Amino acid sequence: MIPANFDYQAPSSVEQAIALLESSHEAKLLAGGHSLLPAMKLRLAEPALLIDLGRIPGLSYVREAGAQVALGAMTTHAAIAESPLLASRSPLLSRAARQIGDVQVRNRGTIGGSIAHADPAADYPAALLALDAEIVARGRKGERTIPAREFFSGLFSTTLLSGELITEIRVPATTGAGTSYAKFHHPASGFAVVGVAAVVKMASGKIQSAAIGITGVADHAYRAGAAERALVNQPASAIAGACSRAAEGVDALGDHFASAEYRKHLAAVYCRRAVQEAMAAKA
Amino acid sequence: MAIRSRKTGKPAPRQMAPQGTLARAPKKAAERGIAAAQKSRTNGRPEPWVGRRYLRKEDPRLIQGISHYADDLRLPGMLHCVFVRSPHAYARIAGIHTGAARSSPGVVAVYTASDTKALGVVPCAGALPDLKIPRHPVLAEGHVRHVGEPVAAVIAEDLYQARDAAEKVQVEYDPLPAVVDPEKALAGTNFVHASVKSNQAFTHQLKNGDVDAAFSRADRVVKARFVNQRLAPVSMETRGVVAQYLPGEKTLTVWSSTQIPHLLKTQVALILGVPETHVRVVTPEVGGGFGSKLNVYREEAVVPFAAMQLGRPVKWSESRRENIAATIHGRDQINYVELALKKNGTILGMRARVISDLGAYHQLLTPIIPTLTALLISGCYKIGALQCDVVGVFTNKMATDAYRGAGRPEATYIIERMVDLAARELNLDPAEIRRRNFPKPREYPFATITGITYDSGNYENAMKKALELAGYSRLRARQKDAWKRGKYYGVGLSTYVEICAMGPSTAMPAGGWESGTVRVEPTGKITVLTGASPHGQGQETTFAQIVADIFGLTPDDVNIVHGDTAAVPYGIGTFGSRATAVGGTAMYIAAQKVKAKMAAIAAHLLGEKAAAMNFSAGRVGTKKKSLGFGEVVGAAYVARNLPPGVEPGLEATHFFEPSNFTFPFGTHVVSCEVDAETGHIRIDKYVAVDDCGNVINPLLVEGQIHGGIVQGVSQALFEEVIYNEDGQLVTGTLMDYSMPKAAQVPEFILERTCTPSPVNPMGVKGVGEAGTIASTPAVVNAVCDALRPLGITHIDMPLKPEKVWRAIQQARAAAAS
Amino acid sequence: MTKDIKIKINGVEHRASVEPRLLLVHFLREVAGLTGTHIGCETSLCGACTVMLEGRAVKSCTVLAVQADGASVTTVEGLAQSGALHPVQEGFWEEHGLQCGYCTPGMIMAAADLLEHSPAAAAGATPGDLEIREGLGGNICRCTGYQNIVAAVRSAARKMNRRKKAVAA
């Protein structure tokens, strides 16, 4: 319940935060704190320096950016869930945000903090992968944009470099596509046992393209390439068969609540449900 | 933790609206509620308070956050305690190094077994003939035997410092292979306690009738093996202890979140070797217990020990991880059961073997719980012959003990599952086989094959009502339709009876009576002292309703005092659905004694006969001549004109010894849908008809049933304490241990029947555990019923989606091959 | 190291010098002496510690006091206004939405947030039972089985809507 002691800094700019991050090997960034603080309270994380991003102005927003919607890294799940702009331009992310944790968690937790933590059962990664989102990271050497597909690299790990922090997430507008996020909640933690995000484009009664992001199954969220390919040019009747390949080639994780085999099975079931819902959403 | 008010250096005062205004606001609302209830006045007389949906007197302080639980207590100079606990299931302690912890900032003391070995041990009240009671020291001595066993106690100026220092206590462990599986443990040679030289803690047999003959006469025999999984009680308030020792006065005060303040007082005195006369136990507000605080724990001795050693108050608040690892668990039985049946469904005989996983050490009632399973195993049925063998097994886990229902949910699960399996085997409707084996209403008091006597009952009536309310035939039609469409819809019943109002002292390990004191104060207000110290049940309200009726006053005129051994005569506590039936009765009889005395005084003053004295609407007397209640009270205290032989004062105490348990009963009906694709279960409808005898306050009875049902449903579907093969606790936080949340449980439709108990004058039975006892088998019966077309007969709890999905997969594979 | 912070709690400013690791819930309980906010788990799940931070429900066990520096917090002790209970408090009492009372302050704060921010409540309607149940997903009660808590929130919603309409009229 009680974190170990640490030094604390609350920089007022991203540049200061980056400088602080480089000043210590045992520094951690504090965004909403809903991944990090629970770990610190159980003393599973004991950073020497905590850099609180909460005092940096201008990191919380949802705004139009050309064909994309840009979100500040410190935007809370609640703001994402309730955003009218996302509802009209790219509703999938809001839909995923609404299924994160509970009201209190959504009021504090941030998208930047969540994806940097890269919990294998988190909800956003599935949506960001399906959307082909981009993550904007800034470090001492400047800013770079990381495609979501290249961002999640393993269990609690990303391709962020040390000294980098996330400033923005960009998701494309999904006008013309149907989207859905179907989630099997862990009854205790509320995390995804399996979560499937789908972006489906239809043309003359057949699936033109499908992008499917899956969380909860493997050590990090992934794009279900085999299922996506199997869905192209298929009518509704072929969806179940195609979605049975949702976890093809995936090294699944298992625990006392859900074995690897069961998670792979659920991936197929929830993939089908997500794709069907996405198609219905479009119709 | 370096938190001081910068201005004063002291904790800042409470910030809230002025007391007076807040005190007035709830009063208004209370009056509204009461006004509504008052509408049904007849003949100008208020109807009795008993039986009304009277709003709780406890609530105004609780909804404003201005009551005090143990962790809310602050005493000058108070120190904080953090325990160092074993990370191992089983290990030899090779050494403990406390130097670094002792020199950590703010640390005042670090205690280990070397400091506490001269103290007494944690008590066990079990008295079975062959019971092995291994030494249960307050801090681990030589070995640790379960994850979470306390090894050292760190005392520091503040909580954060104590927690930091606890990290610095270095314990050298030589890990040993853990004893985890109770069935293997019985046969194995790796012993949890080398001194016992066996993992078998005790055996207990209940045998009645010619069992072998019953089985040889049977048309059919149904057999099953059930696992009744281990559960964590998880009261929302964890345990907490504050202790203060005043060396001058030599008085030790212990505030503890407990269900049994008086028993704790005795045990603390014994463990610490302090005269009991100098020990006072106070229960502050207690945030739930469910049996887990019906105990005496190591920490309840170590914290007072530290306070005595240091001469300063010490507080310990249990963390949730400690709570799941080191507060007692419930259930954890493996059952082998056989039922001998005639073709028409008559149950001729029953054989059961109960293997109870006790954990590493006995807590207060650990070995007693599974014997209660044997006592109730025949459920609400006439069974010709019974043999039930119970064996208690030591394993490297936390102790099991009383958790809501305590042994009876296991029994009800066994018999209600077996009856369903029998119905299936004999192709009978589950309701019909039950009806055929119920005792008839004229057969009460009904002597069971287990040797107890059910006080009163009408099981068929409750079942009939429940089936009607649920629309049983419609549910069956819906099921047929679902099956046709390849969907899985099921209906489950549980017709239960349970043992409440614990209990006659002859059947209890440490007294089954309860005390009640009623004192009419000089101002005419009434103070009640009850030994049945509550922790959410609402006795401050229900007991006030009872007493208000006796004296013709209002519940607001009556204040219920509990949970302070310095104020309240010795009592037993609140558990086993006993508070109203035993504690309430003690108070009721004490009140009648005081009333009789007041009647004598009033009659003397009025020149009337005492028998003619009526207490109503604040007056005492007859229709023609009466005195104000306060006038009679005044006469008793001023004492200048008392009838001959009548002593001054208005106070009476009664110690009520019940002649029997009481036996509430009822029927729960559940319908559910199983998603065959994922194994997910959705409860569609939940109907409960319960009979707990006469009801003091229907609002509170319904609350008890709601909460009870959810705990039982949650056992069926979600909850499970899991130790892995190394004895590591896998479900150590609420991230893994599945507590039911609002959206995960259904709404309930409740009705009651009323069959008063002849055991006590109020005709009450008890309702605290009924919902939990009834609901678990109803849910499992419904799920197994849904899956009937697949040939699935049983799935062990909890019915987690993967387990259900696997059972379906296997059944389909078997059908295909 | 310590840091000087100030937090406005129920309208009253509290200043203290605290370790950065001090949790907001401990600031409320130990510094401000407001023990109505309870601690029920270590893993940000049970919701017993729920308070309003800048008007939104948060779990005060998962916020550092330093993060709340300069912010305003409402705890259960500050919910009653001008001597009158909040409709949610009344609802819990009238519908028997509590037994042991330990989860109650957090549950009440979460319910108040729900009735402030739920789409149904914002539209002047009473949230449906499912919306209420899901809205309370961050709070655990072991006693009530939730049925009367749902009834309490429903009753409070109706009461608040009636009052809003009365004010509007």
Side-chain angles (χ1 to χ4, degrees):
Chain A
M1 182 68 195
I2 294 154
N5 234 324
F6 51 81
D7 285 333
Y8 172 84
Q9 295 290 341
S12 54
S13 72
V14 171
E15 288 67 31
Q16 280 179 22
I18 292 167
L20 285 165
L21 199 51
E22 293 211 319
S23 72
S24 164
H25 287 301
E26 291 176 76
K28 277 272 189 191
L29 296 170
L30 178 68
H34 276 53
S35 302
L36 182 57
L37 292 179
M40 288 170 63
K41 281 160 62 182
L42 299 179
R43 302 208 175 193
L44 301 172
E46 297 192 19
L49 170 65
L50 205 58
I51 305 163
D52 183 357
L53 304 178
R55 307 281 162 186
I56 301 175
L59 283 180
S60 174
Y61 54 84
V62 181
R63 65 187 174 217
E64 249 176 320
Q68 293 177 314
V69 177
L71 302 103
M74 291 291 284
T75 310
T76 63
H77 310 325
I80 292 170
E82 294 160 9
S83 161
L85 180 63
L86 282 171
S88 67
R89 303 293 309 275
S90 195
L92 174 56
L93 200 64
S94 298
R95 192 160 172 166
R98 278 197 290 277
Q99 301 202 40
I100 297 172
D102 51 57
V103 176
Q104 294 96 316
V105 168
R106 292 195 291 275
N107 283 340
R108 284 296 291 175
T110 66
I111 184 165
S114 172
I115 64 174
H117 183 61
D119 191 299
D123 297 292
Y124 283 134
L128 296 178
L129 283 169
L131 287 166
D132 276 320
E134 294 172 341
I135 289 104
V136 180
R138 209 186 298 171
R140 193 165 46 85
K141 290 177 188 161
E143 196 170 272
R144 66 183 180 119
T145 301
I146 310 165
R149 285 209 207 205
E150 293 167 20
F151 184 78
F152 302 103
S153 58
L155 196 67
F156 298 105
S157 57
T158 69
T159 54
L160 272 182
L161 302 173
S162 71
E164 267 185 336
L165 61 82
I166 300 168
T167 54
E168 190 173 271
I169 291 91
R170 294 179 190 148
V171 295
T174 51
T175 325
T179 63
S180 175
Y181 182 63
K183 174 177 176 180
F184 189 101
H185 292 256
H186 189 288
S189 69
F191 275 89
V193 176
V194 167
V196 181
V199 180
V200 180
K201 285 190 183 135
M202 301 291 291
S204 51
K206 287 188 175 174
I207 293 170
Q208 190 188 352
S209 72
I212 294 163
I214 298 184
T215 191
V217 178
D219 67 349
H220 64 286
Y222 64 92
R223 278 283 289 261
E228 289 176 359
R229 286 189 293 279
L231 282 164
V232 174
N233 279 328
Q234 294 300 314
S237 59
I239 291 171
C243 290
S244 68
R245 304 176 68 180
E248 200 171 279
V250 169
D251 196 4
L253 301 175
D255 64 12
H256 69 86
F257 181 75
S259 68
E261 184 193 359
Y262 181 59
R263 279 175 206 266
K264 291 177 88 159
H265 166 73
L266 285 181
V269 173
Y270 276 75
C271 182
R272 193 199 74 224
R273 291 178 183 183
V275 169
Q276 285 171 340
E277 272 178 28
M279 289 168 63
K282 182 54 201 156
Chain B
M1 61 191 94
I3 43 166
R4 60 196 182 279
S5 165
R6 213 200 278 157
K7 284 180 207 154
T8 61
K10 287 178 188 165
R14 268 180 187 292
Q15 298 299 327
M16 59 183 197
Q19 275 286 356
T21 53
L22 276 181
R24 219 168 46 235
K27 190 80 183 177
K28 276 184 198 160
E31 281 163 7
R32 275 202 301 282
I34 294 162
Q38 296 278 34
K39 277 181 188 160
S40 52
R41 278 167 181 249
T42 48
N43 302 331
R45 282 189 62 191
E47 63 180 352
W49 297 103
V50 167
R52 285 196 207 184
R53 304 174 75 82
Y54 192 81
L55 300 185
R56 294 208 319 173
K57 296 178 67 175
E58 292 87 341
D59 289 1
R61 65 176 188 265
L62 297 171
I63 56 179
Q64 296 182 74
I66 52 175
S67 62
H68 293 88
Y69 299 84
D71 193 31
D72 301 336
L73 301 177
R74 273 135 190 74
L75 299 174
M78 188 168 75
L79 299 166
H80 295 260
C81 173
V82 166
F83 285 91
V84 176
R85 294 176 185 275
S86 171
H88 297 285
Y90 198 10
R92 194 180 70 83
I93 299 173
I96 306 177
H97 308 285
T98 59
R102 281 177 207 276
S103 56
S104 188
V107 171
V108 176
V110 180
Y111 298 110
T112 65
S114 64
D115 304 292
T116 58
K117 60 178 185 277
L119 300 181
V121 294
V122 177
C124 170
L128 296 152
D130 68 344
L131 179 65
K132 319 283 190 305
I133 303 185
R135 180 174 166 82
H136 188 175
V138 298
L139 290 171
E141 291 172 359
H143 288 78
V144 286
R145 293 186 173 86
H146 66 87
V147 169
E149 181 167 357
V151 176
V154 176
I155 317 288
E157 295 288 344
D158 86 30
L159 177 62
Y160 281 49
Q161 290 172 333
R163 178 70 182 81
D164 289 345
E167 295 274 306
K168 295 176 187 163
V169 174
Q170 287 165 355
V171 186
E172 288 174 48
Y173 294 104
D174 293 336
L176 299 167
V179 178
V180 179
D181 180 318
E183 290 184 283
K184 287 182 189 156
L186 280 174
T189 53
N190 178 20
F191 303 131
V192 175
H193 297 277
S195 60
V196 177
K197 295 186 183 65
S198 164
N199 290 320
Q200 181 177 300
F202 71 91
T203 57
H204 168 75
Q205 187 179 68
L206 204 159
K207 194 165 185 226
N208 199 357
D210 192 340
V211 181
D212 291 340
F215 275 82
S216 61
R217 276 197 300 134
D219 295 325
R220 299 277 173 82
V221 171
V222 176
K223 297 183 184 186
R225 176 185 189 268
F226 301 132
V227 176
N228 203 304
Q229 82 273 30
R230 186 174 272 254
L231 302 172
V234 191
S235 55
M236 290 319 297
E237 185 211 19
T238 54
R239 292 185 289 130
V241 182
V242 180
Q244 181 179 41
Y245 183 68
L246 302 176
E249 292 84 344
K250 292 191 173 65
T251 56
L252 174 66
T253 304
V254 181
W255 291 263
S256 184
S257 183
T258 182
Q259 299 172 229
I260 48 166
H262 285 95
L263 298 179
L264 180 62
K265 177 194 69 160
T266 303
Q267 292 302 327
V268 165
L270 290 173
I271 297 171
L272 299 182
V274 179
E276 190 174 356
T277 46
H278 288 57
V279 181
R280 174 187 177 196
V281 170
V282 182
T283 60
E285 208 77 72
V286 177
F290 313 106
S292 72
K293 296 173 183 173
L294 157 55
N295 229 307
V296 177
Y297 286 98
R298 300 176 190 235
E299 297 88 347
E300 289 176 313
V302 174
V303 174
F305 167 79
M308 290 183 72
Q309 292 289 307
L310 300 169
R312 288 174 66 182
V314 178
K315 173 156 86 176
W316 167 71
S317 292
E318 187 183 46
S319 72
R320 182 58 68 191
R321 273 188 299 176
E322 288 179 292
N323 179 255
I324 297 178
T327 286
I328 61 103
H329 293 154
R331 319 281 192 268
D332 209 343
Q333 290 185 2
I334 297 168
N335 308 123
Y336 292 89
V337 198
E338 292 176 65
L339 226 48
L341 296 147
K342 288 212 299 203
K343 266 187 207 139
N344 68 2
T346 305
I347 306 169
L348 298 171
M350 183 178 194
R351 284 196 192 108
R353 176 166 157 80
V354 173
I355 299 164
S356 178
D357 185 336
L358 305 176
Y361 300 93
H362 296 302
Q363 284 283 345
L364 191 62
L365 304 173
T366 299
I368 294 167
I369 305 305
T371 67
L372 290 173
T373 303
L375 210 55
L376 191 67
I377 203 161
S378 59
C380 50
Y381 308 110
K382 299 168 83 164
I383 294 181
L386 169 75
Q387 178 172 341
C388 181
D389 291 284
V390 182
V391 58
V393 189
F394 291 122
T395 59
N396 289 114
K397 303 174 192 169
M398 182 58 200
T400 49
D401 200 306
Y403 168 56
R404 203 169 193 171
R408 288 107 77 212
E410 296 91 315
T412 304
Y413 184 76
I414 290 168
I415 187 66
E416 288 304 297
R417 284 293 297 128
M418 287 308 288
V419 168
D420 253 39
L421 291 173
R424 203 147 144 183
E425 178 74 23
L426 299 169
N427 205 16
L428 289 170
D429 185 281
E432 184 54 31
I433 193 171
R434 287 171 163 83
R435 187 178 292 119
R436 289 181 189 176
N437 288 287
F438 285 155
K440 298 282 172 270
R442 65 183 143 71
E443 292 179 84
Y444 293 87
F446 174 75
T448 73
I449 193 71
T450 64
I452 51 179
T453 304
Y454 293 168
D455 57 344
S456 62
N458 188 338
Y459 304 156
E460 189 166 343
N461 185 38
M463 184 170 78
K464 189 163 164 276
K465 193 165 183 174
L467 294 178
E468 279 169 13
L469 203 56
Y472 187 61
S473 51
R474 284 198 304 281
L475 293 178
R476 287 289 177 208
R478 185 169 168 185
Q479 174 176 49
K480 262 189 193 159
D481 179 59
W483 283 346
K484 260 187 226 156
R485 292 182 292 109
K487 301 282 180 195
Y488 297 95
Y489 191 86
V491 187
L493 263 76
S494 155
T495 53
Y496 74 96
V497 60
E498 63 128 335
I499 308 172
C500 271
M502 298 198 171
S505 294
T506 47
M508 299 285 287
W513 48 270
E514 192 51 85
S515 71
T517 298
V518 173
R519 179 166 69 229
V520 181
E521 306 284 2
T523 52
K525 301 293 181 191
I526 299 181
T527 299
V528 171
L529 312 175
T530 176
S533 177
H535 41 286
Q537 292 82 354
Q539 272 108 288
E540 290 177 31
T541 305
T542 51
F543 281 23
Q545 286 176 268
I546 295 167
V547 171
D549 275 348
I550 293 171
F551 290 100
L553 301 174
T554 73
D556 272 352
D557 295 320
V558 184
N559 187 41
I560 310 300
V561 175
H562 54 79
D564 182 348
T565 62
V568 179
Y570 208 94
I572 304 298
T574 292
F575 56 87
S577 302
R578 70 192 302 276
T580 306
V582 188
T585 301
M587 173 193 70
Y588 175 92
I589 295 171
Q592 295 292 355
K593 289 181 188 171
V594 176
K595 184 183 181 180
K597 183 171 178 180
M598 281 186 75
I601 295 170
H604 173 72
L605 296 174
L606 292 168
E608 294 277 349
K609 285 188 174 144
M613 294 299 98
N614 183 35
F615 288 64
S616 179
R619 297 199 69 79
V620 185
T622 64
K623 270 185 189 166
K624 288 180 187 163
K625 278 201 283 182
S626 68
L627 294 164
F629 187 81
E631 293 177 81
V632 184
V633 174
Y637 279 99
V638 174
R640 291 188 193 133
N641 185 12
L642 293 175
V646 171
E647 294 169 6
L650 288 173
E651 177 170 328
T653 295
H654 185 78
F655 287 77
F656 176 63
E657 173 62 54
S659 58
N660 189 4
F661 302 108
T662 61
F663 298 88
F665 59 90
T667 296
H668 289 209
V669 183
V670 177
S671 71
C672 74
E673 196 166 21
V674 181
D675 178 348
E677 226 175 11
T678 62
H680 181 262
I681 294 157
R682 186 183 67 83
I683 292 180
D684 183 48
K685 195 165 199 179
Y686 198 114
V687 169
V689 173
D690 298 281
D691 191 323
C692 57
N694 288 333
V695 165
I696 309 299
N697 186 330
L699 191 65
L700 272 59
V701 164
E702 288 161 18
Q704 286 294 320
I705 293 170
H706 289 160
I709 291 173
V710 165
Q711 271 173 297
V713 168
S714 191
Q715 167 166 23
L717 299 182
F718 307 124
E719 292 180 45
E720 182 177 30
V721 172
I722 302 175
Y723 287 94
N724 71 10
E725 63 278 10
D726 301 320
Q728 280 298 321
L729 181 57
V730 177
T731 52
T733 73
L734 297 188
M735 294 289 279
D736 292 298
Y737 188 81
S738 282
M739 289 285 285
K741 303 187 187 73
Q744 294 170 334
V745 295
E747 187 168 297
F748 316 107
I749 301 164
L750 305 189
E751 282 277 359
R752 284 196 310 274
T753 59
C754 182
T755 312
S757 172
V759 174
N760 58 66
M762 292 190 289
V764 295
K765 287 195 168 183
V767 73
E769 296 154 293
T772 307
I773 289 168
S775 59
T776 310
V779 173
V780 178
N781 282 345
V783 173
C784 293
D785 184 60
L787 300 175
R788 241 195 302 166
L790 293 164
I792 292 169
T793 53
H794 179 72
I795 307 172
D796 273 324
M797 301 182 292
L799 301 174
K800 295 198 282 192
E802 177 166 4
K803 227 191 263 183
V804 174
W805 173 73
R806 281 192 185 280
I808 293 169
Q809 295 300 104
Q810 279 162 15
R812 283 178 174 163
S817 65
Chain C
M1 70 182 271
T2 61
K3 191 173 176 338
D4 293 345
I5 62 168
K6 57 173 195 275
I7 303 176
K8 189 179 265 189
I9 306 169
N10 303 331
V12 178
E13 191 168 282
H14 292 260
R15 288 168 179 270
S17 183
V18 304
E19 283 182 354
R21 63 172 169 161
L22 181 72
L23 301 171
L24 177 59
V25 67
H26 284 137
F27 187 95
L28 298 172
R29 293 174 54 82
E30 309 299 332
V31 179
L34 294 167
T35 55
T37 303
H38 299 148
I39 298 169
C41 75
E42 297 172 275
T43 48
S44 318
L45 268 169
C46 81
C49 64
T50 301
V51 300
M52 301 281 194
L53 176 62
E54 296 291 312
R56 296 297 294 252
V58 303
K59 292 179 176 173
S60 62
C61 75
T62 314
V63 178
L64 299 172
V66 290
Q67 289 179 287
D69 183 17
S72 84
V73 171
T74 306
T75 70
V76 69
E77 291 97 332
L79 206 54
Q81 292 291 323
S82 338
L85 292 175
H86 188 282
V88 173
Q89 290 174 310
E90 288 180 347
F92 272 73
W93 190 14
E94 289 167 354
E95 299 295 333
H96 187 34
L98 62 148
Q99 289 176 30
C100 83
Y102 195 79
C103 77
T104 308
M107 198 65 85
I108 283 176
M109 298 310 285
D113 180 272
L114 173 73
L115 294 183
E116 197 70 37
H117 297 107
S118 92
T126 305
D129 284 6
L130 187 63
E131 189 180 352
I132 295 172
R133 284 178 184 269
E134 285 179 347
L136 298 176
N139 294 73
I140 298 175
C141 168
R142 190 54 144 171
C143 295
T144 64
Y146 299 105
Q147 188 149 322
N148 286 348
I149 289 179
V150 174
V153 178
R154 206 192 295 128
S155 151
R158 289 189 183 135
K159 206 174 274 188
M160 287 165 77
N161 285 334
R162 276 201 302 275
R163 284 180 198 175
K164 271 186 209 159
K165 277 177 194 147
V167 170

